[in-house]
């Protein structure tokens, strides 16, 4: 069973990540800047990755390795999307 402090920290990480994602999406809607769209989606993946390990471990009764692998993949996809947003040409407006 997961302890209360771990759940609290994971929920704080999720809420912070989704808050940044919301602000980035809001900026994307206002400015039509495609890099902000990638930042928004990237932080959603990172936020989901922050809480998925415990959920997968307890819900699906899998091994710790499998749960950590899924978490690592989700966080890596989020980081790749944020990296993509940094590497986009500022003049490029299409997604």
């Amino acid at each position: 069973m997961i302890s209360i402090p771990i759940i609290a920290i994971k929920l704080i990480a999720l809420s912070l990540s989704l808050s940044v994602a919301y602000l980035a999406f809001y900026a994307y809607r206002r400015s039509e800047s495609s890099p902000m769209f990638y930042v928004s989606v990237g932080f959603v993946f990172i936020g989901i990755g922050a809480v998925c390990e415990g959920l997968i471990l307890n819900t699906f009764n899998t091994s710790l390795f499998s749960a950590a692998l899924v978490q690592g993949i989700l966080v890596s996809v989020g980081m790749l999307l944020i990296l993509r947003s940094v590497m986009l040409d500022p003049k490029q407006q299409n997604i």
Side-chain angles (χ1 to χ4, degrees):
M1 180 173 193
I2 300 176
S3 67
I4 299 298
I6 293 174
I7 293 172
I9 293 298
K10 295 263 185 189
L11 289 177
I12 289 170
L14 177 65
S15 64
L16 289 173
S17 178
L18 293 181
S19 296
V20 172
Y22 171 76
L23 291 173
F25 186 74
Y26 181 72
Y28 161 72
R29 295 285 302 225
R30 285 186 55 203
S31 65
E32 297 291 324
S33 172
S34 60
M36 293 309 289
F37 180 77
Y38 287 110
V39 169
S40 177
V41 176
F43 272 100
V44 168
F45 273 94
I46 291 171
I48 292 171
V51 298
C52 76
E53 183 177 14
L55 290 174
I56 291 172
L57 191 62
N58 290 332
T59 305
F60 299 116
N61 212 11
T62 63
S63 68
L64 182 60
F65 175 79
S66 299
L69 183 66
V70 171
Q71 179 192 20
I73 289 170
L74 287 172
V75 171
S76 296
V77 167
M79 291 293 187
L80 283 172
L81 287 168
I82 293 171
L83 181 64
R84 167 115 171 105
S85 76
V86 172
M87 296 181 69
L88 277 178
D89 184 14
K91 297 175 185 173
Q92 182 182 5
Q93 293 296 317
N94 298 332
I95 293 178

